[in-house]
Amino acid sequence: MPALAQTGPGSESGRSVNQWLTRMHEASRQRAYTGTLVVSTGSAMSASRVWHVCDGTQQMERIETLTGAPRTTIRHNSDVITFVPEDKTAWVEKRDSLGLFPELLRTPANQIPEFYGVRERGVERVAGYLSDVVEIVPKDSLRFGYRVWSEKHSGLVMKLQTVDARGQVLEQLAFTELQMNAPVRMKKLARLMKDTRGYEVHHAVLNKTTLEAEGWRMKDVAPGFLLVKCHTREPGPVAPQGPHAMQCVYSDGLATVSLFVEPQDGTSGQADAGLGVVGATHSMTRYVGPFRITALGEVPPLALGQFAQAIERLP
């Protein structure tokens, strides 16, 4: 799609939606910074302190919660460990999807302009930095839109809002304080990541699988969403989805939907069937025989319902 067709009032750069997204993604990979990040979801608000460093190939990040239960998460590329001081446990896992719009690089970039356009809305200050204001606008009712403040020189995302079709803000994250090019030391973060003294360490074990291998199939999915990955989680103390739960992740590059299939023991009933909403995150639960099906994602209920209803048991 021509770049001019994707811009709107207030446009200066003429960047396409893909060019804006690539700029934002690369900025987070090439900068060292520290800052305070605040997330607002409905009436709830949380804050975290962030340390981030990257040498071009290796990324390390430390996130320490400032509100709620104390928790520190440190990641080195896709290796992640979360320390929970209250019960002296540490959870180790792999997360191969990181950063803003985590599935952006795992889905074809050339399909994004088919479902999203972009409008540039001028320049505003966030945490003391001049930032380009960009609206990423969905072209159908199956996706939410995004309003992004991107630091003018580096492209780093300073503030992000998820908005519905009426422009109402469903969720927001923003830096309230940020130091660019901060003296974050990768070696120091690596030492902190390995120091598990006094903690009981648990490893989350994920096994790759397919819907068909687990006895399921999808009749159809919402247009533009592609299957990114599918796995089962071995039972253990860090298995919040329950024993032998399967998770399949679908994405259009920006929005992501997770589909969980969990066997039930016959005692839980179906009291949780229906729709749930927390900020921009919606969930929909239905039952197929002895299985609970849950679709979860930052998409409108219309899209979520398509996923929840599309899965069926193989004969």
Side-chain angles (χ1 to χ4, degrees):
M1 183 175 294
L4 288 177
Q6 298 179 39
T7 59
S11 171
E12 294 181 4
S13 71
R15 293 187 182 100
S16 70
V17 63
N18 280 341
Q19 288 170 335
W20 273 112
L21 291 169
T22 300
R23 173 177 164 81
M24 296 170 189
H25 177 80
E26 289 302 315
S28 68
R29 297 175 59 88
Q30 298 173 0
R31 291 280 171 171
Y33 56 84
T34 63
T36 302
L37 189 67
V38 175
V39 180
S40 303
T41 303
S43 60
M45 181 178 294
S46 62
S48 300
R49 185 69 181 168
V50 180
W51 294 260
H52 179 95
V53 63
C54 181
D55 64 3
T57 57
Q58 305 292 311
Q59 285 197 78
M60 291 207 72
E61 189 170 69
R62 179 187 178 195
I63 302 175
E64 182 178 314
T65 60
L66 301 177
T67 54
R71 182 169 298 201
T72 299
T73 299
I74 304 175
R75 72 172 174 93
H76 176 211
N77 294 337
S78 61
D79 295 317
V80 179
I81 184 168
T82 300
F83 295 92
V84 185
E86 287 185 336
D87 57 12
K88 289 296 182 181
T89 59
W91 297 7
V92 178
E93 60 184 320
K94 288 269 188 185
R95 294 184 197 166
D96 51 8
S97 300
L98 302 166
L100 180 70
F101 304 128
E103 308 301 343
L104 179 63
L105 299 183
R106 295 163 64 91
T107 52
N110 58 7
Q111 78 168 11
I112 291 177
E114 185 177 345
F115 299 100
Y116 296 93
V118 65
R119 289 196 291 259
E120 300 175 26
R121 294 299 193 186
V123 178
E124 294 180 7
R125 290 178 75 235
V126 179
Y129 291 87
L130 285 177
S131 302
D132 294 306
V133 185
V134 181
E135 293 179 351
I136 300 175
V137 185
K139 296 184 177 182
D140 59 27
S141 57
L142 299 177
R143 297 150 237 275
F144 289 132
Y146 305 94
R147 195 173 295 126
V148 190
W149 285 254
S150 172
E151 200 275 320
K152 195 164 185 64
H153 299 291
S154 67
L156 187 69
V157 173
M158 306 292 296
K159 181 177 176 181
L160 170 68
Q161 294 176 340
T162 303
V163 297
D164 63 14
R166 297 171 296 172
Q168 181 178 354
V169 177
L170 303 175
E171 193 167 288
Q172 174 176 285
L173 61 87
F175 281 106
T176 56
E177 173 269 329
L178 181 72
Q179 180 185 355
M180 290 275 202
N181 303 316
V184 184
R185 298 289 177 258
M186 190 170 289
K187 288 183 179 180
K188 181 178 180 180
L189 292 184
R191 285 197 303 270
L192 293 172
M193 188 174 190
K194 294 177 181 178
D195 187 5
T196 58
R197 290 172 297 177
Y199 282 80
E200 183 179 353
V201 180
H202 302 287
H203 294 263
V205 180
L206 305 180
N207 298 312
K208 290 183 179 180
T209 188
T210 63
L211 280 161
E212 292 75 16
E214 303 300 323
W216 298 88
R217 68 184 173 195
M218 291 290 283
K219 292 178 293 185
D220 202 3
V221 296
F225 286 86
L226 303 176
L227 179 62
V228 175
K229 58 187 173 183
C230 197
H231 63 253
T232 57
R233 182 186 294 265
E234 292 188 5
V238 292
Q241 295 126 331
H244 307 293
M246 175 178 66
Q247 178 185 5
C248 294
V249 178
Y250 295 82
S251 180
D252 65 0
L254 302 187
T256 300
V257 174
S258 287
L259 196 62
F260 297 94
V261 179
E262 306 167 83
Q264 300 300 293
D265 59 12
T267 62
S268 60
Q270 300 189 18
D272 59 346
L275 180 68
V277 182
V278 179
T281 301
H282 290 67
S283 64
M284 186 172 292
T285 300
R286 61 184 284 254
Y287 284 77
V288 177
F291 295 91
R292 180 169 61 195
I293 311 296
T294 302
L296 177 73
E298 291 191 351
V299 294
L302 179 63
L304 215 57
Q306 292 190 20
F307 281 94
Q309 296 299 325
I311 189 170
E312 61 183 14
R313 196 77 173 144
L314 287 173

